[in-house]
Amino acid sequence: MRATLEARRDLGPEYETALIESFVSRLDATIAHRVHTEMHATGMRWAQPRKAGNPSITIALGSMGIGIPLTAIAAAAAGSAGLLLAWGGIVAINVAHALSRRRERD
């Protein structure tokens, strides 16, 4: 996160979206790896998500679930800037999902 904040200072606000997307992508990969490792260690299998249902509910619940620990980590590590960056990433994911759902309907 520090590297992302430092890059934002160096590159300026015009690269903010790309930096947030990069940070969220790295965070997602790290979380997925940790979950996979933990599940493997306990002998659990990764269940394939069902295609039926509303994926918006999954996105919303996932955002809330990751938002709580991410808020604590970001605020402790980088203060208000980290908090804004973390929640900016969560908001960006939700907005991107909402826009993609809107395009699918049109």
Side-chain angles (χ1 to χ4, degrees):
M1 177 174 305
R2 282 189 209 125
T4 302
L5 291 173
E6 289 174 15
R8 200 259 185 215
R9 275 187 234 120
D10 292 343
L11 297 174
E14 59 273 3
Y15 289 97
E16 188 167 303
T17 301
L19 289 170
I20 290 171
E21 288 173 0
S22 172
F23 174 75
V24 170
S25 177
R26 289 192 317 264
L27 182 63
D28 184 43
T30 301
I31 291 170
H33 176 71
R34 287 182 182 175
V35 168
H36 178 71
T37 302
E38 191 68 28
M39 289 179 73
H40 181 71
T42 60
M44 296 177 69
R45 291 183 177 226
W46 186 267
Q48 292 295 324
R50 297 182 316 171
K51 295 294 180 188
N54 187 353
S56 296
I57 293 171
T58 305
I59 296 289
L61 292 175
S63 294
M64 289 177 6
I66 197 170
I68 294 168
L70 190 59
T71 297
I73 294 167
S80 297
L83 190 63
L84 290 173
L85 182 64
W87 276 100
I90 292 171
V91 169
I93 289 169
N94 282 277
V95 168
H97 175 71
L99 292 174
S100 71
R101 297 279 295 170
R102 177 174 274 177
R103 285 188 196 124
E104 288 175 4
R105 285 185 292 188
D106 294 340

